[in-house]
Amino acid sequence: VMTAVRSSLSGCCAGCAAPVGIFKSVQAAARVALPRDVEGSVGEVPGVRLFNVDQLPEVAEAPSAEELARAEGVVVGEVERFLGWLRERQVVPEVVALYRQAERIRIEELRRALPRLSGLSFEQWTTIQGLSRAIVQKLLHQPVVRCKEAAARGDGELSLGLLRELFELKEEERK
């Protein structure tokens, strides 16, 4: 039987990359691609039923009410998740502006401190830069996360207004 399976299934479909041994437990094969990508001889293998795209209406079972409800729940959940993501996108210009402003301030403060730090090695200066960058990131992380969450819930305008007011975000930084 394995010889028949190997000869029938070897290269049975265009994308077949699995070892033939995996097909020992195959009970059915679906030939639904156009052009057909499963050899017709697969249907001759003992214990294997081959279905073509034309036969699907005949062999497909109607979903139960429970299956329909579960599928609808999945679709509704995914639509809600997508809409939340879409609403989050409205805060992106302000978030970018906030990070730009913070980076500008960080660099200005490092430049102001530079004359007092003239004896530092390159490694020490790099450490100070990394430290200042990490502080900025940690300080902004939670406000940004909360703003995105509010936007996802539909409270984006409120959180955007607060972000603009608290950090005095300028219009030119939001572009």
Side-chain angles (χ1 to χ4, degrees):
V1 170
M2 280 309 292
T3 307
V5 169
R6 274 189 177 61
S7 65
S8 296
L9 295 178
S10 180
C12 67
C13 63
C16 188
V20 171
I22 288 176
F23 293 107
K24 281 194 265 185
S25 64
V26 170
Q27 302 290 321
R31 190 167 138 173
V32 295
L34 293 175
R36 308 250 190 255
D37 63 353
V38 176
E39 287 294 325
S41 61
V42 170
E44 298 168 16
V45 174
V48 174
R49 290 186 61 197
L50 178 64
F51 298 102
N52 290 315
V53 70
D54 306 328
Q55 295 171 295
L56 285 180
E58 301 165 18
V59 296
E61 296 176 15
S64 68
E66 181 181 306
E67 291 170 322
L68 284 174
R70 193 169 54 241
E72 185 177 309
V74 168
V75 170
V76 167
E78 288 301 310
V79 167
E80 287 173 359
R81 196 169 67 88
F82 174 74
L83 291 175
W85 173 83
L86 205 54
R87 287 187 297 264
E88 269 185 35
R89 301 294 301 155
Q90 73 180 351
V91 302
V92 169
E94 274 71 15
V95 168
V96 168
L98 180 60
Y99 277 98
R100 282 182 183 158
Q101 178 178 320
E103 182 65 8
R104 183 180 41 76
I105 292 168
R106 184 188 74 81
I107 290 170
E108 285 173 12
E109 292 304 315
L110 283 174
R111 282 190 183 134
R112 283 184 45 212
L114 189 59
R116 297 180 303 235
L117 303 172
S118 61
L120 294 179
S121 68
F122 177 76
E123 184 179 285
Q124 291 169 325
W125 177 247
T126 304
T127 300
I128 288 174
Q129 284 187 332
L131 174 66
S132 66
R133 213 174 270 116
I135 290 170
V136 166
Q137 295 294 319
K138 287 184 188 274
L139 283 172
L140 296 182
H141 179 72
Q142 283 306 315
V144 166
V145 167
R146 297 294 176 252
C147 187
K148 286 182 176 182
E149 289 172 349
R153 288 190 311 267
D155 298 328
E157 284 305 314
L158 175 64
S159 62
L160 285 176
L162 285 171
L163 203 60
R164 290 175 188 139
E165 187 174 332
L166 288 172
F167 293 99
E168 296 180 337
L169 296 177
K170 296 172 179 63
E171 183 68 33
E172 62 271 6
E173 289 176 330
R174 288 188 268 160
K175 294 178 181 176

